Amino acid sequence: MEMQQFYYDNKIVKKFLYATIVFGVVGMTVGLLLAIMFLFPNITDGIPWLSFGRLRPLHTNAVIFAFVGNSMFAGIYYSLQRLLKARMFSDFLSNLHFWGWQLIIVAAAISLPMGYTSSKEYAELEWPIDIAIALIWVVFGINMIGTILRRRERHLYVAIWFYLATFVTVAVLHIFNSIELPVSAMKSYSVYAGVQDALVQWWYGHNAVAFFLTTPFLGLMYYFVPKAANRPVYSYRLSIIHFWSLIFIYIWAGPHHLLYSALPTWAQNLGVVFSIMLIAPSWGGMINGLLTLRGVWDKVRVDPVLKFFVVAITAYGMATFEGPMLSLKNVNAIAHFTDWIIAHVHVGALGWNGFMAFGMIYWLIPRMTKGQLYSTKLANLHFWIGTLGIIIYTLPMYVAGFVQASMWKQFNPDGTLTYGNFLETVQQIIPMYWMRMIGGTMYIIGMFILVYNVIKTVRANAAIADELAEAPELQKISKSRIKGEKFHPWLERKPIQLTILATVAILIGGIIQIVPTIMVKSNIPTIASVKPYSPLELEGRDLYIREGCVGCHSQMVRPFRSEVERYGPQSKAGEFVYDHPFLWGSKRTGPDLLRVGQKYNDNWHFNHFWDPQSISAGSIMPGYKWLFANKPMDISNLENKMRVMQKLGVPYTEKDIAEAKNNLRKQAKTIENNLHADPDFVKSYENSKKSAEAKGEKFVPMNEREIVALIAYIQRLGTDIKVKDHSKK
């Protein structure tokens, strides 16, 4: 049989590897800065683009889509060519994918600190960037499928099944979760509202973890672990069961993020059932990975690559045991909104994704440079300091989660809350935050060791070049099943059919959960007293979104005695029908805000946003001094915002829109008048006016500044339900 010569494209792998390393350093550095902010909340005082609320989504996006994303693409581009015995379909598409993805990351790094965000977790980027992501993802898919169709290897290896499922599912998730109506070039509103938006978001959010952080890395595990161990995969049959059961079951599990919320109970229960089932395929994958190392455990003692892979797979097993456990309602009642979730997430991110990426880098760089790793000792040091970093990071966070949950729920014998002041619970876990910072510092030191080791390896060896290979051309055989051929081996040589079946498998769960929630009105009972936001409140809500307040504050009172006592009446689905997007949150660094409206006067909020510690001793909330700046709030898009909301079903009339700016100014003036009740405010206000005049600056009245809009929104929260509840008494 005649052999064909061709070159594997190693240069695209190199580009993605280098981007992985660069953005790993960036993403982890931002994460470390955020950990420091829990201890020194005003370390970036007065700098809006370095505030916690704006940097948190930058950290998550940089780690998930820049660090993990680039490492995923590097591994796929390397393994896919060798598994198919073919160069990538198009060098142009490979490079378009690489540079397009990096530009998207840069756009995220610029836009998120500027406050351009949709507020949806792991999907914060605004609509123009969402479109760019979809287009570049399609480029990646065309390149991958094109390579598969011109392969020289008949059967698709298990890793490729996971790559195909990743491509299809991420596309579906991203498109459906990102459907939004633009208001301006960098502002949009989700087409879904409240409960429906929450379900779609966590269908996306959970499955972004499943199909961006898990399935592609399982594919990489199936390639790189056998390669590094020089052993075949433990069980081919187990890999089949693992793949199909995982992609079918995972897609149903999203609602376990919304237990005890206003989501319909049937949807919550479906999420729980499938989350429990999920442990079987997840552990099937872990077992298949670890048992691949049978007979070579002696190599693990000396080979840093295998060390990284073993701990990565173990972390995957731990995280995928913990996920189903957290979906049990009695466990979720303890863990949700606490630092337990932070620990859980970082076991997966630092352990599974981080260590898989590090092991892959240490394996790939020497092979592509045709030499030895500069220092095995340094790689082993990286492994140990990184492993200790994960332990020192996560264990205190588990403790913090238990401390928070137990303190939030404790009652005195007379029926009052033992810790009625939320800040008492915050102060108890500060030592754990110190430990987290130390653990994070150790992990990032390990990253710097890797950077040094890679640079020295690349400099000492040959430049990374395309690699010559040869293989016979694929011979055509019958499209139908050969006599005696079982179904799955037949499917493995049919990439189109395999992709279609994978698509059907992932669509079933989403359709059954989402369509009834959107289409069946009884899932979201309306409440007559719930009215649309006033123009000023709408502007204030957008400022709340811009500043990332949802990263620390929930707006969801669960049906627990402790929460009703602390925050007020339980949340109801009908409260959120005008919330585009929903703002239920996933973490309580600060207290829930759903019922905070009218709890404090306007002056309290004014002073609290300026200097939280002066109002709430021991608070770790930063100040928001830029909201007070001597410049008018931007209301140029106010009418556009209301028209978009009108299209989304919010009952604004044409008169409401025509009079929006006048009504905004009236409500703002009322708040300013309330502020004048405080002599300290009057004195400060007059001094700032004189100061502006002395500098020759135009003085902007307080009623035109952003802080007033944010106060208006905060004061509105929960008041509709309180009105209705009082009317019943």
Side-chain angles (χ1 to χ4, degrees), residues 354-367:
F355 271 32
M356 276 298 294
F358 298 151
M360 196 174 68
I361 291 167
Y362 282 126
W363 191 85
L364 280 173
I365 291 291
R367 276 159 184 79

Side-chain angles (χ1 to χ4, degrees), residues 77 92-98 133-144 167:
Y77 274 101
F92 171 75
L93 290 181
S94 296
N95 284 294
L96 179 61
H97 175 203
F98 174 77
I133 291 169
L135 293 174
I136 294 300
W137 194 255
V138 169
V139 167
F140 163 58
I142 292 170
N143 208 13
M144 178 168 64
F167 166 67

Side-chain angles (χ1 to χ4, degrees), residues 512-524:
I512 290 174
Q513 287 177 339
I514 291 170
V515 171
T517 308
I518 291 175
M519 303 298 289
V520 181
K521 295 280 187 185
S522 60
N523 281 308
I524 320 291

Side-chain angles (χ1 to χ4, degrees), residues 137-303:
W137 194 255
V138 169
V139 167
F140 163 58
I142 292 170
N143 208 13
M144 178 168 64
I145 293 166
T147 310
I148 291 170
L149 293 178
R150 70 176 199 183
R151 68 195 185 281
R152 295 181 179 88
E153 185 68 49
R154 188 170 310 284
H155 283 264
L156 302 182
Y157 178 66
V158 56
I160 300 171
W161 315 344
F162 282 98
Y163 301 160
L164 285 169
T166 298
F167 166 67
V168 169
T169 313
V170 170
V172 170
L173 293 168
H174 174 71
I175 290 166
F176 278 93
N177 188 48
S178 300
I179 300 175
E180 51 219 2
L181 289 186
V183 172
S184 63
M186 287 300 284
K187 177 67 183 173
S188 63
Y189 291 127
S190 171
V191 297
Y192 315 105
V195 171
Q196 295 160 345
D197 194 39
L199 178 61
V200 173
Q201 157 58 26
W202 282 112
W203 171 74
Y204 163 89
H206 181 79
N207 291 301
V209 172
F211 288 91
F212 200 90
L213 300 178
T214 303
T215 54
F217 273 72
L218 287 169
L220 298 177
M221 177 194 81
Y222 274 115
Y223 180 82
F224 286 100
V225 172
K227 281 286 186 183
N230 198 25
R231 300 284 296 175
V233 168
Y234 171 68
S235 172
Y236 164 71
R237 184 173 294 174
L238 183 55
S239 69
I240 295 173
I241 297 168
H242 173 211
F243 172 73
W244 289 106
S245 55
L246 189 83
I247 68 167
F248 176 75
I249 294 171
Y250 230 132
I251 209 82
W252 295 75
H256 79 220
H257 291 263
L258 300 169
L259 299 183
Y260 294 110
S261 72
L263 186 73
T265 305
W266 66 265
Q268 295 184 39
N269 292 341
L270 264 181
V272 171
V273 169
F274 280 90
S275 297
I276 301 303
M277 292 165 62
L278 192 56
I279 194 169
S282 298
W283 273 45
M286 177 192 71
I287 290 165
N288 221 5
L290 289 178
L291 290 184
T292 298
L293 298 171
R294 69 203 184 286
V296 293
W297 282 97
D298 56 314
K299 285 179 66 177
V300 176
R301 289 188 296 108
V302 293
D303 187 348

Side-chain angles (χ1 to χ4, degrees), residues 256-261 268 272 324-341 401-409 558-563 588:
H256 79 220
H257 291 263
L258 300 169
L259 299 183
Y260 294 110
S261 72
Q268 295 184 39
V272 171
M325 185 175 69
L326 286 167
S327 72
L328 295 169
K329 282 198 165 184
N330 55 345
V331 179
N332 187 277
I334 298 168
H336 195 50
F337 290 135
T338 75
D339 283 307
W340 180 344
I341 306 303
F402 280 104
V403 169
Q404 286 168 309
S406 60
M407 291 182 76
W408 292 347
K409 293 175 183 292
R558 297 175 294 176
F560 303 147
R561 177 188 168 205
S562 57
E563 294 204 7
R588 282 183 186 149

